[in-house]
Amino acid sequence: MGIKGLLQSALQLAELPLCKYSLSVDGASCQTMAALAHAPWAMKGAMAAISDTIPMWGYHKASYVIAGAGIGSVCLASLALFPAPRVEIAALLLGGAHAQIASADLLCEGKYSELMRKAPRSGASVVSYVWGNVKVGQLLGAVLVGPVAESHAPHIRWLFLLLAPLA
């Protein structure tokens, strides 16, 4: 619920206000920034191969989730705390946050797939539980971003400071 639901939803919904109020860029530049920021989602296969073949600190999944959390938190805090960056830097920082979400999503899916293999009868229940939590998180993300973007439009980057601990 926290990462793939709330964090991903809030991050995606905050991209347009970031472009409009902090970066002051046009729609085409904003779309280019968003496309570059979402690139880590296309690299999930490479992330899986790396985590399966090269364990960090003796772990295949947990260490990568923790490392990704650090990267995502730093990227989101940087978006919040430093003056409005250029659109290229914003794309890079948003990409770091999306890399964290994509890797956590991938590695957690791998873990609950292992659990479903051990207890096949739990398969549908596990998937329903996970996606139910994701949808609740997405709703909470929309509820969070809407009022913040509306009432604090010139200071939208502070929303990223609220998101950093979620990463």
Side-chain angles (χ1 to χ4, degrees), residues 33-101:
M33 179 196 75
L36 291 172
H38 292 117
W41 289 94
M43 296 185 284
K44 285 174 71 173
M47 288 182 219
I50 291 168
S51 70
D52 285 346
T53 57
I54 306 169
M56 280 196 318
W57 305 294
Y59 296 98
H60 286 279
K61 291 179 179 39
S63 55
Y64 283 93
V65 171
I66 292 168
I71 291 168
S73 295
V74 167
C75 288
L76 290 170
S78 296
L79 277 167
L81 297 175
F82 298 111
R86 295 188 341 249
V87 71
E88 296 86 0
I89 295 170
L92 181 67
L93 293 173
L94 287 169
H98 279 288
Q100 185 264 326
I101 298 166

Side-chain angles (χ1 to χ4, degrees), residues 4 109 112 126-136 138:
K4 188 173 179 182
E109 284 175 352
Y112 70 75
V126 170
V127 173
S128 296
Y129 175 76
V130 168
W131 279 99
N133 281 324
V134 167
K135 294 303 175 187
V136 169
Q138 288 174 337

Side-chain angles (χ1 to χ4, degrees), residues 9-22 141-160 162:
S9 173
L11 189 59
Q12 286 179 318
L13 292 170
E15 288 171 1
L16 183 60
L18 174 70
C19 288
K20 185 175 179 181
Y21 300 115
S22 289
V143 168
L144 172 71
V145 172
V148 171
E150 192 68 30
S151 62
H152 302 293
H155 308 289
I156 190 66
R157 59 193 184 95
W158 289 105
L159 177 65
F160 297 107
L162 295 173

